[in-house]
Amino acid sequence: MVMFYRLLLKSVLFVFFTTGVKAAPFSHCPSKAFLFQGKPVTSYGVNLVTGSYNQIEDDPGMNANVNGLGFNETDRYLYGFNTTHFQLVRLGSDFQIQTLNLSGLPPQTTFYVGDVADHVYYLYRKNTGFYKVDLSPLDSDNSAPLTAELITSQAQVRLTDFAFHPNDKQLYGVDNNTGVLYRFNPDNGDSLAIGNTGETGTFGAVYFDVNGYFYVSRNQDGKIYRINLSTITENSSPAELTALDVSAVKFADGPSSNQNDGARCASAPLIDTDTESNIDFGDAPASYGTTLADNGARHLLDGETYLGLAAPDGDYDGYTGSDSDDNSLIYSLSYDDEDGVNFVTALETGLDAVVRVYASRTGVLSAWFDWNRDGDFDDENEQAFTNISLNAGFNNLALRVPENANEGGSWSRFRFSQQSNLGYNGGSSSGEVEDHAINISRPNISYRHYPGENSWVTLAYEDKWPETDDYDMNDVVLRYRTTEVIRNSKVIRIDISGELQALGAEYHSGFAVQLPGIASSNVNPLTLRLLHNNIRQSYSGTNGADKYDILEPGTANAVIVISQDLWQHTSSICRYFRSEIGCSQPTTFHFQASVPLITPVPLSAMPAPPYDPFIFGTPGLYHGDIFSYQPGRELEIHLADQAPTEKFNPSYFGLADDTSDAANGRYYRNANNLPWALEVVEQWQWPSERKTILQAYPQFRQFAESKGRSASNWFDSDQSDSRYLFH
């Protein structure tokens, strides 16, 4: 019975709005933009400032799609085209469809492009025509007959919406295919190509604001772009128009959609100053993009997502520099809501800093620092945090101050939201923006590089240990360099860099570096970091090859785990990676590890570089028949005479060809002193697959058997046999 009455009500509504009864118009010129989607058409209110939106009505009284909408400021109705039944319609403040009595359009033809100005509705369809409909007869009779008048049949631009500029009363729209912005004369239909916006797609909803800014919403991804047409007047010449910069600037993220159209009262401001603002702006100096006119960073206050203990107050616009929004009076209330970000350490060039951020709930943080102090956040490396997931409460974040940062006062911007991929400007549908003044200082530090600032050693490993097997020494090959950061004759940080050169093995190996004499407890976990191909890693836990602790637990010496499985970082055009003749390809994996020390270590107490780089078995994978099970992390292969870590299984010593003797400091050598790992102090060329190093470098045997006392230049290219080298 309830369903029957609901169906009856819908039928009554349909009759009510199609028999000429006039629905109530809007009471005023609304600041929100309207978006209409689907069938039956659903209406939404869109805040162009932040991209937020809410559903207004999903039952328009008729099972139809409505497109080509425009807001008529004369009678305050929305007019559009019923694409389902090929009818002109209007909607009042209740968003119910009222069908109007229109003739003069081509039969059974749909129009998706429309807008209203000066009490006239305009329709456009490519290859069909440009029409106008005088709406004034509806002033006395909402059932009055209306007639569509053809302006021109020369409609060649592919549009999905256009809108009237509030100043010159001309129509503007973007060609979907080319991204070119056009102006259309409503009197004769003439079109003028103004310039390329730089964006293409289906711009199904476009709007103007009272200042003459043009907003276009792309169906595919919901992105809202703004085009600055604010300087256009009714006297602007074609030459002045075509000289404008009409680049589309990302303004906010709105809803993606199809079958959509938009309309807005162009005389209304974007932010209604008659009501309390629910938008938070930044307060950095104007050059950073703070005000709405400059597309400044701004967030819709959702009451849940913010930085600090106090929810931010609303702003009508950004306050710049010294005019902090903490000093603004909102309904006689003024308080400090910029309390979410605290700098725990100084910002010193070339060093790490810790920032403590308090989040009201889980969310996503991005932040920018003006390192070169040029008044913007638009330069390389000035985004310090990107889509960092925060937990509710305090979060300690580490960042590296660039070595080339300029000393002095500057600014930072922190944006916290439920959205990711925010820029330093533009709108967000949730959260808060905090701008903070900063000071950049230059510490008294120096650097010690091994082997040199712009040079590398080569590390080469044979992964068949404890068997000699093919002994081609190309199973893992890396370029490798270390840098010690020194202050007051003490090392305060160790940087380790490398690049994978070859993987000539079917076994999977990880790579790590032990720091002899550097206690694991002396590494600062807050500023420890690892980058893979310049992407910061945040692994934790030990459950699987792709999740691990960068600072390995359970070892006295610090052990920095670069990768659990080097094969995860590359793929090969051949069976192996860069070890077979004719299988050359670019390298694909490089890394940087930064190891900050809590207590600086005197130079005299530092271990000698390259420290102790080693490979280990990837957990859970086969590593040879000599092991009765998968050895995983228990298997380590180090440079000759380097002791393994506590994770190594000492029962493996003495198996097969290994003659390690821990009591005498002998490790990873066979009976002839041949090692399973090499450090070559230059960018060395390794043997090709299944060609022993003894073939490729005949002097190596003498060097190894003498423990380096002779043939010390064995690795020189003129000592090699190129027939056995990878190339």
Side-chain angles (χ1 to χ4, degrees):
M1 184 65 68
V2 173
M3 182 174 290
F4 169 79
Y5 283 122
R6 186 177 296 161
L7 292 172
L8 178 61
L9 177 60
K10 288 188 176 183
S11 177
V12 171
L13 285 173
F14 177 81
V15 173
F16 179 82
F17 285 110
T18 56
T19 55
V21 180
K22 185 176 182 179
F26 288 87
S27 61
H28 64 287
C29 182
S31 61
K32 72 176 61 177
F34 297 111
L35 184 69
F36 299 84
Q37 298 179 357
K39 177 187 174 184
V41 68
T42 299
S43 53
Y44 297 86
V46 180
N47 185 329
L48 294 177
V49 177
T50 63
S52 59
Y53 60 97
N54 64 286
Q55 180 177 300
I56 299 173
E57 179 60 71
D58 64 353
D59 184 2
M62 183 183 298
N63 186 21
N65 170 259
V66 178
N67 220 292
L69 284 130
F71 187 87
N72 186 359
E73 296 188 36
T74 302
D75 62 10
R76 299 193 304 279
Y77 280 96
L78 287 161
Y79 289 83
F81 195 81
N82 180 338
T83 64
T84 306
H85 304 111
F86 313 107
Q87 298 166 326
L88 180 64
V89 299
R90 75 176 178 183
L91 299 89
S93 58
D94 56 5
F95 293 91
Q96 299 296 298
I97 296 174
Q98 176 189 0
T99 301
L100 302 175
N101 183 8
L102 176 68
S103 62
L105 291 178
Q108 305 296 304
T109 300
T110 293
F111 287 82
Y112 297 101
V113 180
D115 199 13
V116 180
D118 296 330
H119 218 14
V120 177
Y121 178 61
Y122 295 84
L123 304 92
Y124 178 98
R125 182 184 175 97
K126 183 182 178 183
N127 297 327
T128 298
F130 191 5
Y131 294 82
K132 66 179 180 179
V133 180
D134 181 7
L135 301 174
S136 59
L138 299 175
D139 294 343
S140 57
D141 180 4
N142 62 316
S143 298
L146 305 174
T147 303
E149 177 184 344
L150 179 65
I151 298 172
T152 180
S153 60
Q154 301 300 309
Q156 301 302 318
V157 180
R158 183 180 178 182
L159 299 175
T160 40
D161 199 13
F162 58 18
F164 274 98
H165 195 296
N167 296 337
D168 71 352
K169 299 301 182 182
Q170 303 286 294
L171 284 155
Y172 292 81
V174 177
D175 186 294
N176 294 335
N177 287 340
T178 65
V180 172
L181 174 70
Y182 283 86
R183 184 190 72 172
F184 301 88
N185 187 324
D187 295 328
N188 55 28
D190 288 349
S191 62
L192 173 67
I194 298 176
N196 199 309
T197 65
E199 298 291 339
T200 58
T202 303
F203 297 108
V206 303
Y207 315 90
F208 270 100
D209 69 14
V210 67
N211 296 313
Y213 287 97
F214 188 44
Y215 303 85
V216 297
S217 175
R218 186 161 57 197
N219 290 16
Q220 291 91 330
D221 52 20
K223 290 182 179 180
I224 300 170
Y225 295 90
R226 186 176 74 173
I227 302 170
N228 186 358
L229 303 182
S230 62
T231 60
I232 293 177
T233 70
E234 59 183 354
N235 297 318
S236 296
S237 67
E240 291 172 323
L241 292 174
T242 55
L244 292 174
D245 178 3
V246 295
S247 299
V249 177
K250 171 76 176 300
F251 194 70
D253 289 290
S256 58
S257 59
N258 56 37
Q259 275 193 312
N260 78 318
D261 196 73
R264 184 180 184 277
C265 178
S267 296
L270 287 186
I271 299 177
D272 188 352
T273 57
D274 293 333
T275 61
E276 183 176 358
S277 174
N278 62 349
I279 299 172
D280 177 58
F281 283 84
D283 52 13
S287 64
Y288 291 97
T290 300
T291 65
L292 183 60
D294 293 324
N295 192 23
R298 57 208 181 269
H299 293 250
L300 180 71
L301 302 180
D302 62 4
E304 299 179 351
T305 308
Y306 52 87
L307 296 170
L309 298 174
D313 51 9
D315 307 318
Y316 296 115
D317 208 341
Y319 293 81
T320 58
S322 59
D323 295 327
S324 168
D325 62 3
D326 292 337
N327 301 321
S328 64
L329 291 177
I330 305 295
Y331 296 98
S332 301
L333 176 66
S334 178
Y335 62 93
D336 180 9
D337 61 4
E338 305 285 297
D339 61 343
V341 176
N342 290 284
F343 294 89
V344 178
T345 60
L347 297 175
E348 299 179 290
T349 58
L351 298 183
D352 297 303
V354 176
V355 181
R356 174 171 276 195
V357 178
Y358 188 91
S360 64
R361 55 167 299 185
T362 58
V364 181
L365 179 85
S366 292
W368 296 261
F369 289 73
D370 180 14
W371 297 127
N372 64 0
R373 303 176 59 229
D374 67 344
D376 62 49
F377 299 120
D378 198 33
D379 300 294
E380 186 178 3
N381 298 324
E382 290 196 330
Q383 184 164 2
F385 301 123
T386 304
N387 297 332
I388 301 295
S389 295
L390 298 188
N391 297 316
F394 286 108
N395 298 261
N396 290 316
L397 307 177
L399 71 148
R400 174 72 51 80
V401 181
E403 293 179 24
N404 61 350
N406 292 335
E407 295 178 75
S410 191
W411 281 83
S412 62
R413 171 164 291 166
F414 293 77
R415 302 192 68 178
F416 180 55
S417 176
Q418 296 303 310
Q419 286 179 266
S420 57
N421 300 318
L422 294 177
Y424 58 80
N425 60 6
S428 173
S429 57
S430 62
E432 180 184 6
V433 52
E434 286 195 10
D435 292 344
H436 290 271
I438 59 174
N439 185 71
I440 304 167
S441 60
R442 185 168 298 280
N444 182 24
I445 61 174
S446 59
Y447 301 89
R448 184 166 67 176
H449 306 279
Y450 176 82
E453 182 176 2
N454 298 304
S455 56
W456 304 89
V457 299
T458 301
L459 301 176
Y461 297 85
E462 173 57 59
D463 72 347
K464 297 296 178 64
W465 183 90
E467 298 174 297
T468 306
D469 201 68
D470 58 7
Y471 205 58
D472 51 17
M473 208 61 77
N474 63 19
D475 296 332
V476 175
V477 182
L478 301 114
R479 303 279 191 247
Y480 181 88
R481 177 169 59 228
T482 67
T483 298
E484 294 166 351
V485 183
I486 303 165
R487 175 189 270 170
N488 299 327
S489 299
K490 295 181 179 180
V491 174
I492 60 175
R493 192 182 77 222
I494 300 168
D495 293 340
I496 301 169
S497 304
E499 183 178 59
L500 181 63
Q501 298 297 301
L503 288 175
E506 294 180 354
Y507 297 160
H508 288 237
S509 296
F511 179 68
V513 181
Q514 181 177 210
L515 302 176
I518 304 295
S520 181
S521 60
N522 196 28
V523 174
N524 188 340
L526 291 181
T527 50
L528 173 69
R529 68 176 189 171
L530 173 66
L531 279 67
H532 287 174
N533 293 339
N534 296 321
I535 298 174
R536 186 164 185 168
Q537 306 300 297
S538 56
Y539 299 144
S540 62
T542 55
N543 46 346
D546 61 340
K547 292 185 180 296
Y548 58 87
D549 286 297
I550 298 170
L551 176 63
E552 190 169 53
T555 61
N557 292 329
V559 174
I560 308 302
V561 181
I562 303 300
S563 172
Q564 291 276 71
D565 184 358
L566 292 170
W567 267 116
Q568 286 189 332
H569 308 294
T570 191
S571 60
S572 179
I573 60 175
C574 298
R575 183 176 182 180
Y576 305 111
F577 177 65
R578 289 168 54 91
S579 68
E580 300 160 275
I581 293 177
C583 295
S584 181
Q585 64 183 93
T587 58
T588 58
F589 175 61
H590 58 86
F591 62 86
Q592 299 89 36
S594 181
V595 187
L597 303 178
I598 297 173
T599 302
V601 176
L603 289 172
S604 59
M606 282 294 296
Y611 314 128
D612 182 17
F614 64 95
I615 64 172
F616 59 88
T618 297
L621 297 180
Y622 170 80
H623 212 96
D625 292 338
I626 196 168
F627 301 105
S628 59
Y629 58 95
Q630 299 162 348
R633 183 62 187 83
E634 293 183 354
L635 171 64
E636 299 179 2
I637 303 173
H638 293 251
L639 294 170
D641 300 331
Q642 286 280 9
T645 76
E646 292 95 323
K647 302 289 186 179
F648 176 76
N649 187 341
S651 68
Y652 297 159
F653 282 146
L655 294 177
D657 302 319
D658 179 66
T659 62
S660 295
D661 181 1
N664 292 301
R666 179 185 177 89
Y667 296 100
Y668 300 101
R669 293 183 184 270
N670 72 5
N672 295 319
N673 285 327
L674 297 178
W676 278 266
L678 291 174
E679 176 204 356
V680 183
V681 290
E682 64 176 34
Q683 297 185 35
W684 174 71
Q685 196 61 42
W686 53 94
S688 62
E689 194 61 35
R690 292 287 172 179
K691 301 297 186 291
T692 73
I693 190 174
L694 303 177
Q695 292 173 298
Y697 292 93
Q699 295 298 311
F700 177 70
R701 182 186 297 276
Q702 181 181 351
F703 171 80
E705 291 179 349
S706 69
K707 287 192 173 183
R709 287 187 291 269
S710 61
S712 59
N713 65 337
W714 66 269
F715 52 82
D716 288 346
S717 58
D718 59 5
Q719 299 294 321
S720 67
D721 188 332
S722 62
R723 294 176 300 171
Y724 303 110
L725 297 179
F726 168 74
H727 51 81

